[in-house]
Amino acid sequence: MEIEDKNNLREDAESIFYAGLEAVEPSKAVRTYMKKTHNTLKIGETVYNLSDLKRIFVVGFGKAGYPMAKTVEEILEDKITQGCVVVKYGYSGHLEKIEILESSHPIPDEAGMKAAEKIISLLSKTKEDDLVICLISGGGSAILPAPIEGISLEEKQKVTQLLLDCGASIEEINTIRKHLSRVKGGQLARLTYPAHLHSLILSDVVGDRLDTIASGPTVPDRTTFKDCWEIVKKYELESLLPQSVITHLRRGIEGKIKETPKPGEPIFDRVNNLIIGSNILALKAAKRKAENLGYNCLILSSFVEGETREVARVHAAMAKEIISSGNPISPPACILSGGETTVKVKGKGKGGRNQEFSLAACIDIRGMNNTLILSAGTDGTDGPTDAAGAFATGSTWRKAKEMGILPEEFLENNDSYNFFKKVGGLFLTGPTNTNVMDLRIILVAEKNQSK
Amino acid sequence: MEIEDKNNLREDAESIFYAGLEAVEPSKAVRTYMKKTHNTLKIGETVYNLSDLKRIFVVGFGKAGYPMAKTVEEILEDKITQGCVVVKYGYSGHLEKIEILESSHPIPDEAGMKAAEKIISLLSKTKEDDLVICLISGGGSAILPAPIEGISLEEKQKVTQLLLDCGASIEEINTIRKHLSRVKGGQLARLTYPAHLHSLILSDVVGDRLDTIASGPTVPDRTTFKDCWEIVKKYELESLLPQSVITHLRRGIEGKIKETPKPGEPIFDRVNNLIIGSNILALKAAKRKAENLGYNCLILSSFVEGETREVARVHAAMAKEIISSGNPISPPACILSGGETTVKVKGKGKGGRNQEFSLAACIDIRGMNNTLILSAGTDGTDGPTDAAGAFATGSTWRKAKEMGILPEEFLENNDSYNFFKKVGGLFLTGPTNTNVMDLRIILVAEKNQSK
């Protein structure tokens, strides 16, 4: 039996991961932030007097839409007048008051456009004393496509592709997309005004920027038609973009089309945006669990990005220092990090960024007793595999070598899934119904913990 | 004036860096660990009774040999019988008792071999009641070449080159080198036995492994002639290596040549190895300074390796989290890291790993107030430039853009030196006479510190 097993490091890592996951489980997250009494509805710090509200509507879009809507229905019961929430194909279910529609992700489709029409028409019915609860989660932008009149879905997709091809940044792409949409960039808030609007948001982007999650339908937009035009000129796209798009942007600059709502506009006095699930919230819950298990724990960052194997090396370097000098914290130590790394695929193997992280880490932590690293995606899926991630310990490398398997070769071939399938260490959770990117857990037990 | 300047972040980063540097300055480091009273000489925790010691010899090799030897002479005064310390060309000076010789680095030369002969002959004179103080610092392995009889310097170099070319690991290269040398791999300790041997070591390698620094001349060697032969077979080098080398290794396997001294051999009862300067010691001193300046401070790791720009991203991610949630520590925050990153050079620009680190970081921390990152080499030299490193702040990126300079392009071209020369931020220290790799300092001031 390995020393790591004796220390139950693997078991501890699993419970720490699941504690993080539980905090951002859509249903749990809604319940944490939404409380109803006989007379009031409290969402976050905002208290609505139920007798002041004429009607309550529920709209939403994103992969986690169904469990979020289900919970809202359970909490509000018969208080909901009407609702419409759009989810990805296969993610739906039946509810009493809220209609659940399905559409396509990541490539939007006609069904998504029809669903958007339905939501827009529902919002047009709302009045000053109404409350609209808007449930936003990952994938919401593709799931609810609402191109402006005169531009087809295909044309809008062509624009995105052209921008990607010319190397435009994600900020530049979003600037243009917001100005070709009827809901993105705060425009859903405008459609809702003067009703109250309260968004419950499950963030799947690094940094949790409200104007980025699902393209910020309920937040002020700082970008303008003028910015769009500068991007068109910068990448010399004037002759490449569909004529309908050029015409629309031109009319926008000429002031013939209303800008997206800007910061300070009165619309937003009636709007509340509340993040109910995010990577940092998962990390904080994971930290509480780790501390309950007796670990000294620190959260490194929820903003971690970059090439997976290099990021893994920095994490392994921390494990080494914990053992060597007790910095940044002394054993039993738990370091948590989040965010989402990338993999520049060069090989032909099977894997995902989390399994590749653990594979790279196992090379650097080889021979280190009492050390375990777990990297896993909170959505339960890592790349095109059935695993959420993988465990690496100080003995994984040696174990592989003894089996005649070379970790370095599997890493070179981006074949992390087959590596851990052979050597052991795959972490399988099944679908989790949520997504706040990845969690990484480094555990270093006390030297003599196993004695 | 930038907000960072108002906060004196740059000034703070400089003093934190210099505090780290001071702790590992060769002369200071020797003084910290070597104390003489009328009757005793204390080195680290070991106390030598001066009346028990017949004679004291001083030997040494490495770039910092001169200032180390000078300080030992100042402390021991007339107690030294004889000494010989070898340094890199241009790094020498004149001393009373200890002869300073020069040789070549990183490519060894004849002068180095002659110097090695001198040291070996000096050690052969030592007796049981003598003390040999051995001063080891970076570059010591090349500066003191001592190939075994029958193998020329050129042949030994050819072996190293062949091993590098076939992709052998640094551990494999060192295994063979130790078995072709008369001093490496603990053999200097054997030459000194039964005299007392006390090494004072300035470490320039990640992890401070004693068997790696200067190829471990005073520490037990776990590798064997058998290991050497397996490496020869693994890379199919039998027909490529010089005949003299093959013959030597064959005789080694046959037991006709003495193995390098192994752990547990009585030789090592008379040996003490003491690290007096290292990356972690510099980081610890830097941390004390940061705390004195009022920062919450943590040492991330002295083991940081990997591709520079990716490592920089992880550091920037920490700065973001400090600002966003106060994790892993709240502002005013200082995060320190050490080690040595690498740069896969693709461009034709001028720079070094530290300046490239700061250039990559300035892209990720753009727009972040109260944030500064300094990365610098403790030897005062970063790549083929006159700078030790560079400062990046939250406004560096914008400042560059306003000057029409694109940070992303300079990074792509590995042209960090010219970037910071134009935009400002080069950190110039001049030569420091020491080397414990790099120090990185992240500072995040309190939000309202500047008000």
Side-chain angles (χ1 to χ4, degrees), chain B residues 176-190:
Chain B
I176 299 218
R177 281 155 81 169
K178 284 178 181 178
H179 286 85
L180 300 179
S181 163
R182 287 186 289 156
V183 293
K184 292 180 169 63
Q187 296 181 93
L188 192 138
R190 182 187 280 152

Side-chain angles (χ1 to χ4, degrees), chain B residues 234-248:
Chain B
K234 176 175 174 187
Y235 297 106
E236 300 172 352
L237 295 171
E238 209 173 333
S239 59
L240 299 170
L241 288 171
Q243 193 51 48
S244 57
V245 172
I246 294 291
T247 308
H248 177 73

Side-chain angles (χ1 to χ4, degrees), chain B residues 162-179:
Chain B
L162 277 168
L163 287 164
L164 283 171
D165 292 347
C166 70
S169 71
I170 186 69
E171 284 84 7
E172 291 171 330
I173 294 173
N174 282 339
T175 296
I176 299 218
R177 281 155 81 169
K178 284 178 181 178
H179 286 85

Side-chain angles (χ1 to χ4, degrees), chain A residues 280 284 298-307 310-311 313-314 317-318 320-321 324-325 327-328, chain B residues 280 284 298-307 310-311 313-314 317-318 320-321 324-325 327-328:
Chain A
I280 186 70
K284 284 178 179 177
L298 60 82
I299 294 172
L300 190 71
S301 178
S302 66
F303 290 81
V304 174
E305 299 177 277
E307 180 62 29
E310 305 295 334
V311 176
R313 299 204 76 181
V314 180
M318 281 182 272
K320 289 176 188 173
E321 193 65 58
S324 170
S325 79
N327 284 293
Chain B
I280 187 68
K284 284 178 178 175
L298 59 82
I299 294 172
L300 191 72
S301 178
S302 67
F303 289 82
V304 175
E305 299 177 280
E307 180 63 28
E310 305 294 335
V311 176
R313 298 204 76 181
V314 180
M318 281 182 272
K320 288 177 190 173
E321 193 64 59
S324 170
S325 78
N327 283 293

